[in-house]
Amino acid sequence: MNDKPFYVTTPIYYVNDKPHIGHAYTTVLADVLARIHRLFGRPTYFLTGTDEHGQKVQEAAARLGVTPQQHADATVVRFQEAWQKLEITNDDFIRTTQERHKAIVQEMLQDLFDRGEIYRAEYDGWYCVGDERFFTEKDLADGKCPVCGREVQRVREANYFFRMSKYQDWLVDYIQTHPEFIQPDFRRNETLGFLRKPLQDLCISRPKSRLSWGIELPFDRDYVTYVWFDALVNYVSAIGYRRDDARFAKWWPAVHLIGKDILTTHSVYWPCMLKAAGVEMPRTIFAHGWWLSGTAKMSKSLGNVVNPMDMMERYGVEPFRYFLLAEMVMGQDAAFTEDVFVRRYNADLANDLGNCLSRVASMVGKYCAGRLPAPEPGAFGPGAPAAELLARATAAAAALRDSADRYDLSSGIAQVMDAVRAINRFLEARQPWTQAKAADPAPLGTTLYAAADALRVCSGLLMPLMPQKMTALRIALGMDPAAAAAVDPEGLFAPARLAPGAQVTPPGALFPRIEPPKPAEEPKPAAAPAPAKPAAKAKPAAPAEPLPEGIISYDDFAKVHLRTAKIMTAEPIDGAVKLLKLGVWMGTERRQIVAGIALHYKPADLIGKTVVVVENLAPVKLRGVESQGMLLAASRGETLRLVTIDGDLSSGAVVK
Ligand code: MSP
């Protein structure tokens, strides 16, 4: 992680929307990234806000008989309240109706107009009221809006245009020579694909006769600005562009987090606008995927929104924040169901993390009168088991920090959770309940101290996701409240920072187990093969004749359960040059798989790949490490390649 200032933005949300999971996801994502960067000491600035001009706000206000400004003032509160509840630590909240923003938009427009970057021309084309966009005849899809499918209106009027077309070649070159600019890779390719067609000049005005709720063009009072030309400018108007050069230079260029549906406006319009204005390009435009309900995008217009307020109230704000980031691989779509939520909550938070704390705290209570025992001298020396446990936790610190830089938080989080599971395994292996019966109390001291200390590191790493819960956990470990809440970044890379003798207090249930909702919405994992007779109708009939040698029946084939799985972690196994230990996410559970692919893949290159796993293979131990399944791979001679999935598909999908 570098220590250059980190400036992160979310899209500014349409003010008349109700906050929904799409808004909540980007905002929590930005918050967690900002908190991780702050945690590791990087100067960080985090901006969010609302997009308040345009047709929809004007119409909604008219229906309610209030002014658009009154309507915006009344509705913006929903976002501000939602972000407060979700523990969002934005440094600023910009509204496009604020003077500080409007003045900058007007200055930019005037400047571009004066320099001939904006010109006036007669326009004849098709207009979609819903999207507030113009289309040419050939853009239309069956005579309708190509974006939303609604009716379009024929419009003939004078308008102002931004000379975007002249930046096409420059933009293609910039994107090609700056791989970090548009991410993930496939979104960069999508933008380059869009730029294969000739880029049109952009109509940036709307006559007031049609739309009055916008920022007036400074050079023609009969027009207001196109809403995107207004909205995108928020990213610079909020940090002192044209007002405070030092402040602007400190934070710019930004990392823009956006949803994939607003890629073109951010990766084409915005760079051209900045280029024309002589401003440096954003550092990165990262487009994330959608939360889906089944196969449909969850959004207000579809009426299938999981309201973050409901989810927060039902399961708690912080588990919700954890879920959003642990579940979605950044850039890809993910399914949201209550069932998936509850499974992950129970597995990661109630079982692995919550149990780990309550075991440590209750054993310190029972065997050490509630005082954290001291480790043996040399307990953290090279090769000692406690040292290895701590090395695991501190490696997770580096992994989380790197995952923030690589925009791959779910894999960083998975490594932290692996480190938590390692603490549980350490306890099982060392059996403190047996050690407590021995005459020498020293080994017990090492076991409980090391477990608590590793938990100190892991909880510090999970702080950006669950600040209050992790503070409570750390206080339970005997840390003083100030140190518990303000994580010392150095301590994340060093063992033995807890004070022996500190009072350890069993916490209340930090993550009480949730009863799973009744029927599972997801396909059931590892269902036993159906008994032959009733199911026989639906399947090809079992052949009466004995099968030729080497040929198997459908029933035989159906015994093998194959599923997609995402590789979350990958690491070498000591002393086994060909093997890698993989942590894979199967959609509803995590598995550990040992695969003989170390000579063909580097661990880092595997993370994030969606592979095919034989799910119902009996577990085996390879070099002492349990393998709970097998990956499919193709090989010929020296070459081996994993079977992967072509395109977006969530983990746990049945392969057949
Ligand atoms: N006002 C514009 C952005 C202007 S930025 C200069 C806008 N606003 S919005 O309120 O519609 O923002 C929606 C954001 O939420 C988009 O980034 C969109 O991708 C995201 N999501 C909406 N539904 C979503 C899901 N179901 N899942 C994830 N995010 C999705 O666009």
Side-chain angles (χ1 to χ4, degrees):
M1 178 173 291
N2 54 53
D3 20 296
K4 275 199 230 131
F6 177 71
Y7 171 38
V8 64
T9 67
T10 72
I12 48 171
Y13 305 114
Y14 290 126
V15 72
N16 53 332
D17 265 2
K18 263 205 198 131
H20 59 61
I21 188 167
H23 307 123
Y25 174 67
T26 326
T27 313
V28 171
L29 175 61
D31 185 60
V32 171
L33 278 175
R35 284 178 188 258
I36 292 177
H37 285 289
R38 282 188 212 119
L39 174 64
F40 289 108
R42 190 170 174 187
T44 296
Y45 198 80
F46 166 19
L47 175 71
T48 188
T50 39
D51 189 351
E52 306 197 348
H53 290 121
Q55 195 110 15
K56 286 179 206 144
V57 176
Q58 181 174 310
E59 283 170 0
R63 278 197 301 275
L64 295 166
V66 294
T67 66
Q69 188 64 61
Q70 285 168 331
H71 183 56
D73 291 345
T75 47
V76 67
V77 187
R78 297 191 292 216
F79 283 95
Q80 290 164 334
E81 283 174 356
W83 302 158
Q84 221 170 356
K85 280 204 175 154
L86 268 165
E87 301 178 25
I88 303 300
T89 54
N90 51 305
D91 294 290
D92 193 0
F93 187 100
I94 190 161
R95 304 178 55 189
T96 53
T97 52
Q98 287 166 336
E99 267 322 309
R100 61 165 172 163
H101 172 75
K102 291 195 288 189
I104 299 297
V105 172
Q106 288 192 319
E107 281 178 32
M108 261 182 98
L109 284 164
Q110 185 68 53
D111 177 48
L112 295 179
F113 184 69
D114 292 346
R115 293 192 290 108
E117 297 279 347
I118 289 175
Y119 64 94
R120 184 185 163 100
E122 196 65 32
Y123 183 81
D124 186 0
W126 297 95
Y127 183 69
C128 171
V129 178
D131 288 298
E132 297 175 33
R133 280 176 64 175
F134 288 101
F135 299 100
T136 60
E137 184 84 43
K138 65 177 172 10
D139 289 335
L140 299 181
D142 292 334
K144 304 242 167 71
C145 170
V147 177
C148 66
R150 280 176 283 198
E151 296 292 337
V152 284
Q153 301 168 2
R154 183 86 193 189
V155 169
R156 193 192 176 92
E157 63 192 19
N159 261 310
Y160 289 87
F161 292 83
F162 165 50
R163 292 189 196 281
M164 192 159 74
S165 57
K166 77 178 207 201
Y167 294 107
Q168 177 155 16
D169 292 343
W170 161 80
L171 183 57
V172 168
D173 182 63
Y174 189 88
I175 294 172
Q176 281 170 339
T177 51
H178 294 81
E180 75 294 350
F181 182 46
I182 301 173
Q183 296 189 47
D185 287 2
F186 55 96
R187 298 289 170 217
R188 178 185 328 126
N189 292 338
E190 190 179 318
T191 307
L192 289 170
F194 176 86
L195 287 168
R196 250 173 244 131
K197 284 184 285 176
L199 194 57
Q200 308 289 320
D201 287 347
L202 183 67
C203 177
I204 55 104
S205 63
R206 301 290 181 261
K208 278 192 187 166
S209 52
R210 210 146 39 78
L211 170 70
S212 59
W213 184 234
I215 299 178
E216 197 171 82
L217 294 189
F219 42 82
D220 190 336
R221 313 196 65 183
D222 291 336
Y223 291 84
V224 296
T225 317
Y226 168 45
V227 71
W228 275 99
F229 207 92
D230 157 1
L232 288 160
V233 175
N234 91 87
Y235 299 135
V236 293
S237 65
I239 54 160
Y241 175 59
R242 298 180 82 102
R243 290 288 178 276
D244 181 344
D245 292 347
R247 182 163 177 249
F248 184 67
K250 173 170 183 188
W251 297 116
W252 191 257
V255 169
H256 297 313
L257 301 177
I258 58 166
K260 63 181 180 180
D261 50 329
I262 52 176
L263 180 67
T264 308
T265 46
H266 281 81
S267 65
V268 178
Y269 298 7
W270 182 225
C272 293
M273 287 165 66
L274 288 168
K275 178 73 180 163
V279 179
E280 191 187 338
M281 290 303 109
R283 188 189 310 280
T284 294
I285 296 158
F286 185 94
H288 63 70
W290 283 345
W291 284 98
L292 303 176
S293 157
T295 52
K297 177 187 174 198
M298 293 181 140
S299 74
K300 195 173 155 221
S301 46
L302 285 171
N304 58 358
V305 178
V306 172
N307 187 330
M309 302 305 184
D310 292 350
M311 295 302 296
M312 286 191 295
E313 245 109 80
R314 207 167 319 151
Y315 299 117
V317 167
E318 296 194 353
F320 180 64
R321 288 171 56 101
Y322 174 83
F323 173 78
L324 291 182
L325 293 206
E327 181 69 20
M328 185 176 256
V329 175
M330 281 179 72
Q332 304 198 5
D333 291 346
F336 193 110
T337 66
E338 195 167 355
D339 188 52
V340 175
F341 179 94
V342 170
R343 281 172 202 239
R344 187 179 269 278
Y345 172 99
N346 281 340
D348 291 7
L349 301 182
N351 266 0
D352 295 334
L353 184 58
N355 274 349
C356 184
L357 173 67
S358 54
R359 286 167 97 185
V360 172
S362 73
M363 286 192 278
V364 172
K366 197 159 153 198
Y367 305 135
C368 313
R371 298 279 170 191
L372 187 67
E376 293 160 284
F380 293 102
E388 277 175 11
L389 180 68
L390 263 296
R392 186 85 197 236
T394 54
L400 183 75
R401 196 179 54 178
D402 295 348
S403 76
D405 279 341
R406 287 186 289 107
Y407 303 102
D408 187 16
L409 281 180
S410 61
S411 76
I413 296 167
Q415 304 245 18
V416 178
M417 292 312 298
D418 272 353
V420 170
R421 281 184 280 273
I423 306 175
N424 285 323
R425 283 199 303 276
F426 176 82
L427 290 171
E428 274 142 37
R430 288 182 57 104
Q431 307 215 332
W433 44 92
T434 312
Q435 288 177 323
K437 293 183 195 137
D440 179 7
L444 172 72
T446 298
T447 304
L448 294 180
Y449 182 89
D453 200 52
L455 199 48
R456 166 190 63 83
V457 174
C458 295
S459 58
L461 296 172
L462 293 172
M463 189 73 101
L465 294 138
M466 301 181 285
Q468 294 191 30
K469 296 270 188 198
M470 291 306 100
T471 303
L473 187 155
R474 291 154 69 82
I475 291 173
L477 290 177
M479 295 178 78
D480 82 65
V487 177
D488 163 23
E490 253 179 58
L492 297 173
F493 296 95
R497 291 293 175 101
L498 287 178
Q503 179 74 51
V504 174
T505 25
L510 212 49
F511 300 108
R513 231 189 124 69
I514 302 175
E515 262 326 296
K518 316 128 284 168
E521 286 176 43
E522 290 230 317
K524 278 206 200 85
K533 31 171 190 108
K537 256 193 216 151
K539 287 191 249 161
E545 296 288 310
L547 291 165
E549 173 115 350
I551 298 296
I552 59 169
S553 70
Y554 180 86
D555 282 352
D556 288 337
F557 168 69
K559 284 182 193 154
V560 181
H561 293 189
L562 300 173
R563 274 182 197 275
T564 60
K566 179 145 323 248
I567 301 181
M568 310 301 281
T569 58
E571 56 190 279
I573 296 176
D574 279 348
V577 284
K578 293 188 181 167
L579 300 182
L580 287 181
K581 183 165 82 173
L582 308 175
V584 302
W585 178 246
M586 308 272 299
T588 53
E589 62 170 322
R590 161 179 275 281
R591 295 243 185 131
Q592 173 173 295
I593 294 181
V594 178
I597 55 173
L599 302 180
H600 307 277
Y601 288 92
K602 286 203 224 76
D605 297 340
L606 289 165
I607 311 270
K609 278 195 193 305
T610 297
V611 293
V612 177
V613 168
V614 181
E615 181 200 36
N616 56 340
L617 203 59
V620 287
K621 278 207 168 168
L622 298 169
R623 296 295 185 105
V625 183
E626 181 167 277
S627 183
Q628 304 155 332
M630 189 180 98
L631 304 191
L632 295 194
S635 66
R636 174 171 283 155
E638 296 288 285
T639 307
L640 177 144
R641 286 282 149 239
L642 287 173
V643 175
T644 54
I645 295 296
D646 168 30
D648 279 1
L649 190 66
S650 56
S651 305
V654 173
V655 178
K656 55 180 178 189

